[in-house]
């Protein structure tokens, strides 16, 4: 995968709070060691589900803290102007991914789709779903309808999870999170009971559907036009898809439980689905390119 060199990048869907004070953060803060990352990926869903649709208010101190967290996109806007910049820089690539993913959903859903921002943070961040750290992994907070990512997660994905990684994998991660935004807009996540886990739980169905939605975006990514009328992304290869499937296989509940937590596989605690299921649903989305094929709630066969 690459970005079309001449395409223009728009940083207005990003809130860069990496330089903000008060969190001991700053660029390049290392992700915590030990089991933090793994615990984090499990927390993502609780976080997301507990956040619930429209809940998440009443976090003491939130208003006070968020003031220290003012976004400053000036550096990003200066660095990330064109597709050529996205080919050179991971953060510019993410800016382009966010544009492409939202252009796609606007095309699919029309006025029903409301664009939303991704917050780039370093170390820790306050959200309307509560405080989060890098160890949480990228996540979507329904209460403020924002996607959050510490870009150091991509290093963790290759180093701790052993994924091959790459530009397309980075994009898949974001497309998954924007899938949760779509679920929120369509009222799907609001119908899922909070805190229930297990192989056929609403949580697992939500996660697999988000993977499927990521796949439908990937199917259309090379053709969906940006504001200037041309696609941002070109040349998604078989190798890119293989890398996405490799990544999906390393963030399944069974893989994490077995290889990163070091315990037996406990289906009863599944929140995201097995590695095989995550691969299957991404593939369903990618091969069909049709979000209607992503009805993980309407089937007994989750894979
Ligand atoms: Zn998710």
């Amino acid at each position: 995968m690459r970005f079309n060199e001449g395409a223009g990048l728009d940083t207005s869907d990003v809130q860069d709070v990496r330089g903000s004070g008060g969190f001991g953060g700053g660029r390049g803060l290392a992700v915590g060691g030990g089991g933090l990352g793994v615990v984090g990926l499990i927390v993502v869903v609780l976080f997301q589900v507990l956040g619930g649709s429209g809940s998440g208010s009443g976090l003491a101190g939130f208003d006070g803290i968020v003031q220290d967290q003012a976004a400053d996109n000036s550096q990003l806007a200066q660095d990330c102007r064109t597709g050529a910049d996205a080919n050179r820089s991971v953060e510019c690539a993410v800016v382009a991914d966010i544009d492409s993913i939202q252009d796609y959903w606007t095309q699919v859903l029309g006025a029903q789709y409301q664009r939303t921002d991704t917050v780039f943070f370093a170390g820790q961040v306050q959200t309307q779903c509560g405080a989060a750290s890098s160890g949480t992994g990228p996540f979507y907070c329904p209460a403020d309808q924002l996607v959050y990512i510490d870009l150091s997660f991509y290093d963790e994905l290759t180093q701790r999870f052993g994924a091959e990684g790459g530009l397309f994998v980075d994009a898949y991660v974001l497309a998954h999170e924007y899938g949760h935004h779509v679920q929120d807009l369509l009222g799907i996540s609001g119908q899922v009971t909070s805190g229930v886990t297990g192989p056929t739980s609403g949580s697992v169905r939500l996660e697999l559907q988000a993977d499927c939605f990521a796949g439908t975006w990937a199917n259309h990514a090379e053709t969906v036009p940006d504001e200037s009328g041309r696609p941002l992304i070109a040349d998604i290869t078989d190798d890119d898809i293989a890398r996405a499937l490799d990544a999906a296989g390393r963030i399944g509940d069974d893989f994490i439980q077995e290889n990163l937590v070091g315990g037996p596989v406990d289906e009863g605690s599944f929140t995201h689905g097995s590695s095989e299921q995550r691969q299957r649903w991404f593939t369903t989305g990618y091969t069909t390119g049709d979000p209607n094929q992503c009805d993980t709630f309407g089937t007994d066969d989750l894979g």
Side-chain angles (χ1 to χ4, degrees):
M1 162 181 154
R2 65 181 174 82
F3 298 93
N4 282 318
E5 297 274 306
L9 303 192
D10 176 3
T11 59
S12 65
D13 290 341
V14 172
Q15 296 177 25
D16 186 359
V17 302
R18 291 173 298 176
S20 65
F23 294 99
R27 285 165 197 265
L29 184 77
V31 174
L36 190 61
V38 173
V39 172
L41 274 183
I42 292 161
V43 170
V44 174
V45 155
L46 294 176
F47 205 71
Q48 171 209 317
V49 171
L50 290 176
S53 215
S55 68
S57 57
L59 291 162
F62 173 72
D63 290 340
I65 293 167
V66 82
Q67 286 166 11
D68 290 337
Q69 220 173 265
D72 178 2
N73 283 15
S74 54
Q75 189 67 46
L76 207 58
Q78 194 179 321
D79 295 344
C80 306
R81 295 168 187 270
T82 67
D85 297 327
N87 285 325
R88 273 195 298 269
S89 146
V90 167
E91 62 181 13
C92 299
V94 169
V95 168
D97 293 336
I98 291 165
D99 279 350
S100 170
I101 293 160
Q102 300 208 89
D103 291 340
Y104 165 66
W105 284 111
T106 301
Q107 190 178 69
V108 173
L109 296 175
Q112 210 176 356
Y113 186 73
Q114 295 158 27
R115 293 180 83 97
T116 196
D117 293 349
T118 290
V119 179
F120 286 2
F121 71 98
Q124 297 173 59
V125 68
Q126 283 293 329
T127 81
Q128 289 195 36
C129 297
S133 73
S134 304
T136 307
F139 62 94
Y140 175 73
C141 169
D144 55 27
Q145 295 192 308
L146 295 171
V147 173
Y148 291 86
I149 187 168
D150 183 327
L151 297 175
S152 67
F153 173 74
Y154 292 140
D155 297 328
E156 194 180 20
L157 201 53
T158 54
Q159 288 162 16
R160 277 177 48 72
F161 289 77
E164 294 170 58
L167 272 185
F168 183 74
V169 172
D170 295 353
Y172 156 57
V173 168
L174 283 157
H176 173 97
E177 299 307 336
Y178 274 93
H180 287 313
H181 179 53
V182 169
Q183 291 169 328
D184 189 52
L185 292 175
L186 297 180
I188 297 169
S189 24
Q191 292 172 18
V192 170
T193 310
S194 300
V196 180
T197 63
T200 59
S201 62
S203 171
V204 164
R205 291 176 194 273
L206 270 184
E207 294 299 331
L208 296 177
Q209 186 175 61
D211 284 334
C212 187
F213 284 166
T216 67
W217 162 76
N219 176 293
H220 295 277
E222 290 177 21
T223 54
V224 68
D226 74 354
E227 283 162 8
S228 72
R230 52 181 296 185
L232 282 159
I233 290 173
D235 297 342
I236 295 176
T237 63
D238 290 347
D239 180 58
D240 289 322
I241 300 304
R243 284 166 179 263
L245 293 175
D246 165 69
R250 290 168 190 277
I251 51 178
D253 290 318
D254 53 346
F255 181 91
I256 291 173
Q257 288 176 352
E258 237 176 340
N259 298 284
L260 286 114
V261 181
V265 173
D266 171 19
E267 287 197 347
S269 66
F270 276 15
T271 54
H272 283 69
S274 70
S275 295
E276 205 180 315
Q277 287 174 319
R278 299 198 67 166
Q279 291 170 329
R280 174 194 153 169
W281 284 98
F282 174 83
T283 303
T284 296
Y286 179 66
T287 53
T288 65
D290 177 6
N292 293 316
Q293 302 304 315
C294 298
D295 186 7
T296 55
F297 291 86
T299 178
D300 292 328
D301 179 19
L302 290 173

